[in-house]
Structures are given as structure tokens and as C-alpha cells.
């Protein structure tokens, strides 16, 4: 328990707590509608970190007798030679202090932008890039946020400390490719990102997704939602007119979510096939399709294979499930218009947030499959 590895930023590293630009739908994050607008960068400041030099209770002199030490993560009282860049393009600094920097967002050309995919149906081009701060002491920020310029205004999720599924609700309501700004707060959720969206926190130090599975039963609604997305009824069979999601009507599967994602080739979802270790749902005796990889802080699911009609019912291609011979989706207009969970067609991102307490096998972020170009 002594001399633990030093995993914190070095002292005097410029680090952020939040980054805010234009207000949108009740809040602001690292988004501006156009270049020339103001971006406000707030410093992380003093932080208590584990002292890697602590040698135990018998130590008498500093720093060896200190379990914790304070490090300062400000920007420096004066700018000096400090600078701010977005994707290696200099931004004009309008004010600089140890606690806050304000910049004018520069114009980025297509070649200077890291946005590889544009949101479909949006006329204005989006530009984006990593924010990098260099303090007057020469030290650079280690991680900050992605700054986005232009495009469709984002939705905003206000900070909260309950279990209201605020982020999941925003994902469910979003149009593919939408940006969702997540405001400061602690969010007790296990998210299913079942369509390409841009999940953008205002800063990892200020936004926490707590994926704790307690109290008991918290996994149950998550598993039902996974079943819905894969088109599986609660009895383990494919949803059809004669096999509704839940005959009792107790649990609902929204039409917009049904059959929107696919298993990967040779991954069993229904039926019994001893060459594929059988149906995971039957083996685990619970309605889950992720098996041991369920319950990540964020589980990213996508659509990758064209469906077929069997007896008039749209179903996964049985050839793909059985032997891996699949008709894959592309970025064609037809595939983009037909399948909203096709990640080829719209931008997707997870940025500027912290994930903690994911005790299930899925870990922090689990990209299940077909999640092309996710940043």
C-alpha cells in the first residue's frame, strides 16, 4: 500500500475543469456555431493526489510521511509565451489568468479539421479539433476536449445527481449524428449508445458517469433495452406479430429502437447451436445478449448487416448468424436512409467525461461491433 505509482498530472500542468462556448438548449459546452465566437476555458486548479513518495506511518519527515500532496493545475497568472491551439491552429487569446482563459475560435479549413464524417441532412459544414493549452512554463495540457465549430446546435443534458437516466433519454431521442452536450454532474447510468451520436462532456474532471450496478436489479432494465435493440422478445425469441416484446404490456420496446442493431458474425442471439456455445441467454438463464460483457459504462451498438424478410417479418440474415456470410452495410444513400444505426453514415464520439465504478465485464466503454469511425 505504499509507494504507489504516480498517475496524476505533474505539478503545474495546465488542466481544464470545463470548456464552454455558445449556449444551446439551456446550456453550453465546447461548441460554437461559427468561428470568431468566444470559448471560455476554466482551470482545474488545486487537486489533492496520492503521494507516491509516502513510505508508511513510520516515516517522520516530509514528503515521506504524507499520504497525499496538493498539486496545482492552473494556467499561470500571466500568459508569457503561453498559447492555445485547436487542431494545431493558433487561437487568439483575449484574456488569460491562472483560473480562466478566453479565446476567439479560429477558422479551420477542411484539411485542418478532425471531423471525418459530416452529419447527414445538415447544410453547414462542421469543423472540429483537439484543444491544446501551452502554459508560460512550457508545459502542455495532457487531455482536454474536442472543440466543435458549426453544424446542428447540440442538445444539452443538465447536471444531476440522481438516477433519472438523463443521458440515455437524450440518446434515445437524438437524430443520428446529433451532438449531446453533457453538463457538469454525476450521472448514475449505464448507457446504450445504439445509434451514432456525439456524446460530448464539458470536461472529464466535471462530468462523471457512475456505472455502479447497485442497488440490486439495476441491470434488469438495461438487459430489456438490449433485447429491444436486437429485436429479441423477453421470452428469448425474435420479435414478430405472434411474439411481441412483452405480451403483458408491462415493458415497452419503442418502435424506433426495435431491430436497430446487429450481432457480430457467429455471435449467437437466439436458438441453440452447439458450435457457437449455444444461446448465451439460455446459458446464463437471464435475458442478456452481451454475456459477460454486459453493463459497461457506455455500450456502443451498431447496425452492420442488411436484414432479410422471413415469412414477411424483417429479421437478421440467418446466413450471417449461422456461418458468417453477411451482406454488409455501406455508406450508400440507400443504406444510410434505411438504417439509422449505421455508423458509416453519421459522426459518433465519446469525449470529455469520466467513467467510474463499472464492475460488470463490459468495463468503461465497450464497442460491441459495427461502430465504424467512432472517435
Amino acid at each position: 500500500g505504499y509507494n504507489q505509482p504516480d498517475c496524476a498530472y505533474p505539478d503545474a500542468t495546465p488542466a481544464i475543469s470545463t470548456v464552454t462556448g455558445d449556449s444551446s438548449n439551456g446550456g453550453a459546452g465546447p461548441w460554437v456555431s461559427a468561428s470568431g465566437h468566444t470559448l471560455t476555458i476554466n482551470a482545474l486548479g488545486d487537486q489533492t493526489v496520492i503521494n507516491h513518495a509516502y513510505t508508511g506511518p513510520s516515516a517522520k519527515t516530509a514528503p515521506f510521511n504524507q499520504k497525499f500532496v496538493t498539486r496545482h493545475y492552473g494556467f499561470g497568472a500571466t500568459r508569457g509565451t503561453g498559447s492555445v491551439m485547436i487542431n494545431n491552429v493558433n487561437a487568439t487569446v483575449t484574456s488569460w489568468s491562472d483560473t480562466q482563459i478566453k479565446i476567439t475560435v479560429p477558422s479551420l479549413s477542411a484539411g485542418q479539421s478532425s471531423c471525418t464524417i459530416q452529419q447527414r441532412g445538415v447544410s453547414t459544414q462542421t469543423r472540429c479539433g483537439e484543444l491544446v493549452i501551452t502554459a508560460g512554463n512550457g508545459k502542455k495540457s495532457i487531455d482536454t476536449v474536442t472543440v466543435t465549430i458549426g453544424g446542428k446546435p447540440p442538445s444539452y443534458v443538465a447536471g444531476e445527481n440522481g438516477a433519472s437516466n438523463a443521458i440515455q433519454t437524450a440518446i434515445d431521442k437524438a437524430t443520428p449524428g446529433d451532438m449531446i452536450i453533457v453538463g457538469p454532474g454525476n450521472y448514475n447510468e449505464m448507457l446504450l449508445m445504439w445509434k451514432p451520436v456525439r456524446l460530448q462532456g464539458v470536461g472529464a474532471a466535471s462530468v462523471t458517469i457512475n456505472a455502479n450496478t447497485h442497488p440490486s436489479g439495476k441491470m434488469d432494465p438495461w438487459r430489456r433495452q438490449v433485447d429491444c435493440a436486437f429485436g429479441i422478445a423477453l421470452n428469448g425469441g425474435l420479435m414478430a406479430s405472434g411474439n411481441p416484446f412483452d405480451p403483458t404490456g408491462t415493458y415497452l420496446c419503442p418502435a424506433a429502437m426495435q431491430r436497430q442493431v446487429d450481432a457480430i458474425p457467429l455471435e449467437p442471439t437466439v436458438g441453440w447451436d452447439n458450435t457457437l456455445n449455444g444461446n448465451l441467454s439460455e446459458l446464463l438463464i437471464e435475458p442478456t445478449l452481451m454475456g459477460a460483457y454486459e453493463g459497461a459504462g457506455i455500450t456502443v451498438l451498431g447496425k452492420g448487416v442488411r436484414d432479410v424478410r422471413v415469412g414477411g417479418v424483417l429479421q437478421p440474415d440467418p446466413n450471417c448468424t449461422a456461418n458468417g456470410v453477411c451482406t454488409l452495410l455501406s455508406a450508400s444513400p440507400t443504406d444510410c436512409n434505411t438504417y439509422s444505426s449505421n455508423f458509416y453514415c453519421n459522426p459518433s464520439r465519446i469525449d470529455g467525461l469520466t467513467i467510474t465504478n463499472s464492475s460488470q465485464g463490459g468495463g468503461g466503454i465497450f464497442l460491441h461491433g459495427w461502430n465504424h469511425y467512432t472517435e
Side-chain angles (χ1 to χ4, degrees):
Y2 307 140
N3 302 115
Q4 297 184 47
D6 188 351
C7 298
Y9 298 134
D11 193 37
T13 299
I16 67 159
S17 60
T18 61
V19 177
T20 58
D22 294 354
S23 297
S24 175
N25 297 323
W31 174 85
V32 291
S33 60
S35 59
H37 290 209
T38 298
L39 200 69
T40 301
I41 309 163
N42 295 304
L44 189 55
D46 288 342
Q47 296 292 306
T48 300
V49 303
I50 294 173
N51 179 19
H52 69 286
Y54 176 62
T55 57
S58 61
K60 302 299 181 183
T61 58
F64 309 106
N65 63 343
Q66 298 171 317
K67 290 183 179 181
F68 302 96
V69 293
T70 299
R71 290 183 182 169
H72 184 66
Y73 301 129
F75 302 136
T78 58
R79 177 184 176 184
T81 58
S83 65
V84 178
M85 304 182 81
I86 298 176
N87 231 40
N88 296 317
V89 177
N90 271 307
T92 300
V93 176
T94 57
S95 67
W96 185 296
S97 72
D98 188 51
T99 58
Q100 187 181 87
I101 299 172
K102 290 189 177 183
I103 64 169
T104 300
V105 176
S107 177
L108 303 182
S109 68
Q112 294 168 324
S113 171
S114 63
C115 294
T116 56
I117 299 177
Q118 298 293 313
Q119 185 176 14
R120 290 174 58 84
V122 178
S123 58
T124 57
Q125 291 288 299
T126 300
R127 302 283 187 259
C128 52
E130 182 185 3
L131 178 72
V132 177
I133 304 162
T134 303
N137 60 11
K139 294 187 177 183
K140 289 187 176 183
S141 55
I142 295 172
D143 57 77
T144 55
V145 292
T146 299
V147 176
T148 303
I149 308 165
K152 180 181 176 181
S155 59
Y156 185 82
V157 178
E160 47 108 346
N161 289 284
S164 61
N165 294 320
I167 304 176
Q168 186 64 60
T169 300
I171 293 173
D172 294 345
K173 292 181 177 180
T175 298
D178 277 1
M179 177 179 286
I180 301 168
I181 298 288
V182 184
N186 186 50
Y187 299 84
N188 297 316
E189 303 189 50
M190 291 173 288
L191 300 175
L192 284 175
M193 190 167 144
W194 54 277
K195 66 182 80 164
V197 294
R198 290 168 288 170
L199 199 60
Q200 179 65 63
V202 298
S206 301
V207 181
T208 299
I209 294 175
N210 188 336
N212 193 342
T213 58
H214 298 283
S216 179
K218 193 175 176 181
M219 286 298 301
D220 293 343
W222 185 93
R223 290 168 179 151
R224 288 192 293 268
Q225 198 170 26
V226 169
D227 283 350
C228 174
F230 278 94
I232 308 299
L234 294 187
N235 64 6
L238 289 170
M239 276 190 286
S241 57
N243 189 40
F245 178 72
D246 179 11
T248 69
T250 304
Y251 304 110
L252 302 178
C253 176
M257 193 176 184
Q258 293 178 14
R259 275 290 309 131
Q260 291 301 309
V261 303
D262 282 319
I264 59 176
L266 307 180
E267 179 183 25
T269 54
V270 297
W272 185 270
D273 186 336
N274 59 11
T275 67
L276 300 176
N277 294 324
N279 185 337
L280 291 178
S281 300
E282 293 179 75
L283 287 173
L284 297 171
I285 318 179
E286 59 189 7
T288 181
L289 300 178
M290 296 290 97
Y293 296 108
E294 67 178 3
I298 303 175
T299 301
V300 188
L301 305 170
K303 182 75 179 168
V305 182
R306 292 194 183 101
D307 287 335
V308 295
R309 291 194 176 275
V310 179
V313 179
L314 204 60
Q315 296 183 7
D317 187 341
N319 288 324
C320 179
T321 303
N323 55 38
V325 180
C326 312
T327 305
L328 302 179
L329 295 183
S330 68
S332 69
T334 298
D335 285 347
C336 288
N337 292 331
T338 305
Y339 301 104
S340 60
S341 292
N342 182 354
F343 276 65
Y344 275 128
C345 305
N346 281 287
S348 56
R349 178 194 306 160
I350 301 170
D351 185 75
L353 46 80
T354 292
I355 300 171
T356 189
N357 280 346
S358 179
S359 61
Q360 297 295 100
I365 300 173
F366 177 45
L367 282 83
H368 166 261
W370 316 115
N371 314 123
H372 312 288
Y373 304 122
T374 298
E375 299 176 353

